[in-house]
Amino acid sequence: MKILISGQYGEPRASDIFWPMQKKLNECFDRNIQEGHLKTISKFAIGFRVSGKLCNFKSQGAERLRYLKKTNALTVDLVFSESQWSSTDLDEIKKNIVIGVLNCLDLMIERSEKLGELIQKESLLSDIEKAISEFMR
């Protein structure tokens, strides 16, 4: 099983701030998420959508949770408004990213339970906790 973060950025400055954190999160998840938590779902994919001067996604938080049966994936968008990052320090942005990612993962775990896919919830939560702890260092 993989947890992957992708991104769509509304301006270059947003990319400069979020891309390094997106990359580090992916590395932390790669190192800490083990196999065997789910039956057939192979991926939880979170897409950062960061509003900026060129593109405003006009919302905030987790939205559009979808189960893609053909690719055995759960996907969700995590939207950040421009006010959440443009005049905020990096530590605060990092905390907001973690809060948003954990919220998305909670929604995905809940959906995987409803789909009868979740096998090892406690072990998955433990792996996620390890990855987030590594990210926050």
Side-chain angles (χ1 to χ4, degrees):
M1 178 204 168
K2 288 200 147 297
I3 296 177
L4 299 170
I5 312 291
S6 62
Q8 185 177 5
Y9 304 108
E11 68 175 82
R13 200 166 59 96
S15 178
D16 292 344
I17 291 170
F18 280 82
W19 165 246
M21 292 194 219
Q22 172 190 327
K23 184 176 183 231
K24 184 177 179 186
L25 260 176
N26 279 324
E27 291 167 354
C28 294
F29 284 131
D30 279 346
R31 279 192 288 272
N32 290 285
I33 303 300
Q34 305 300 312
E35 295 295 323
H37 302 299
L38 303 164
K39 290 179 184 174
T40 62
I41 292 175
S42 60
K43 179 177 15 177
F44 283 179
I46 300 171
F48 288 174
R49 298 178 76 200
V50 184
S51 293
K53 302 273 186 248
L54 303 175
C55 184
N56 183 348
F57 296 104
K58 298 180 180 162
S59 64
Q60 186 174 310
E63 62 183 28
R64 299 178 9 177
L65 175 62
R66 291 167 289 194
Y67 172 49
L68 307 176
K69 195 172 185 174
K70 285 185 180 181
T71 58
N72 293 323
L74 280 173
T75 67
V76 68
D77 293 339
L78 179 55
V79 184
F80 294 92
S81 65
E82 190 173 358
S83 65
Q84 283 183 287
W85 67 269
S86 64
S87 59
T88 308
D89 70 38
L90 285 177
D91 287 338
E92 192 64 29
I93 294 169
K94 193 173 193 179
K95 287 178 194 169
N96 287 335
I97 288 173
V98 167
I99 290 167
V101 165
L102 289 174
N103 181 48
C104 289
L105 291 171
D106 284 344
L107 293 171
M108 296 168 116
I109 289 168
E110 184 179 311
R111 174 65 65 88
S112 67
E113 280 182 305
K114 287 180 183 173
L115 292 168
E117 284 282 333
L118 192 58
I119 299 170
Q120 298 175 337
K121 183 176 183 176
E122 294 309 315
S123 146
L124 175 57
L125 292 172
S126 175
D127 286 357
I128 289 169
E129 186 179 320
K130 289 177 203 165
I132 294 297
S133 293
E134 182 181 326
F135 175 72
M136 289 304 291
R137 282 188 235 133

